């Protein structure tokens, strides 16, 4: 749905994908996102392309991050449940609590979602 | 399927997507890609995120580029047909001819495809 670059110290390339509910909401401009919306962000270290010097491509995978909308279950965090995985395993509670703090402070105008639809 | 950064002078963010035949071939490591494979590369200008300074996100869309595998129809160019679109309209023949020249020279070892699968 949308790629992104994350600067130093992370130096990551990212791709945010959504399920059909998410894509439909983005296309229609529906805000807030409906229950059942799932957004997944894949992240890799930036690596120079070996075949084409001007390009930078995905290297080692770093994290997988998830947002799930359920207004009842996650009422305390804007209706969003947050997940962060490294090597397929969820990180600890302290790391998870940092998600909402930043999304609440910076992305409230877009239902706490940073990613815009890139058609 | 895979994001990429393109350096100056293009300064683009890119996302390469594939149809089910393409994704199945990537997952299985099938080379050459079978007839019916379709790869599509979306490109946007790099733009700073207004909400989160370390991030760079898609700005204006620039080009859409396509590769279609048909070993008979495109026998002269490694079995690949190439398309390049700006604002929904195909570019001229001279621009199209540059596609094969570069893919042939640099990506032969991967059936002329630069993009690797980023799981």
């Amino acid at each position: 749905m949308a790629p992104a670059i994350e600067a130093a110290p992370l130096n990551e390339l990212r791709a945010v994908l959504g399920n059909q509910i998410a894509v439909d909401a983005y296309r229609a401009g529906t805000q807030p996102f409906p229950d059942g919306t799932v957004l997944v962000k894949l992240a890799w270290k930036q690596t120079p392309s070996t075949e084409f010097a001007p390009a930078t491509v995905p290297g080692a995978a770093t994290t997988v991050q998830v947002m799930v909308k359920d207004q009842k279950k996650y009422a305390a965090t804007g209706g969003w449940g947050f997940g962060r995985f490294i090597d397929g395993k969820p990180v600890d509670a302290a790391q998870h609590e940092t998600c909402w703090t930043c999304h609440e402070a910076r992305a409230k105008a877009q239902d706490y979602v940073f990613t815009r639809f890139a058609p």
Side-chain angles (χ1 to χ4, degrees), chain A residues 28-84:
Chain A
T30 305
Q31 295 256 313
F33 287 91
D35 278 5
T37 295
V38 179
L39 299 169
V40 176
K41 180 161 64 182
L42 307 173
W44 304 267
K45 284 295 179 190
Q46 295 173 20
T47 305
S49 167
T50 52
E51 290 90 16
F52 191 67
T56 298
V57 298
T62 56
T63 60
V64 173
Q65 296 179 78
V66 181
M67 290 177 70
V68 178
K69 191 69 175 275
D70 184 327
Q71 291 189 314
K72 283 187 185 171
K73 190 170 179 184
Y74 303 116
T77 50
W80 290 105
F82 294 86
R84 190 165 197 266

Side-chain angles (χ1 to χ4, degrees), chain A residues 1-3 23 26-27 115-119:
Chain A
M1 183 164 47
V23 173
Y26 269 116
R27 286 206 166 113
T115 298
R116 292 179 167 81
F117 191 54

Side-chain angles (χ1 to χ4, degrees), chain A residues 12-36:
Chain A
E12 288 183 351
L13 252 177
R14 296 179 169 194
V16 176
L17 309 173
N19 65 355
Q20 197 61 50
I21 297 173
V23 173
D24 289 346
Y26 269 116
R27 286 206 166 113
T30 305
Q31 295 256 313
F33 287 91
D35 278 5

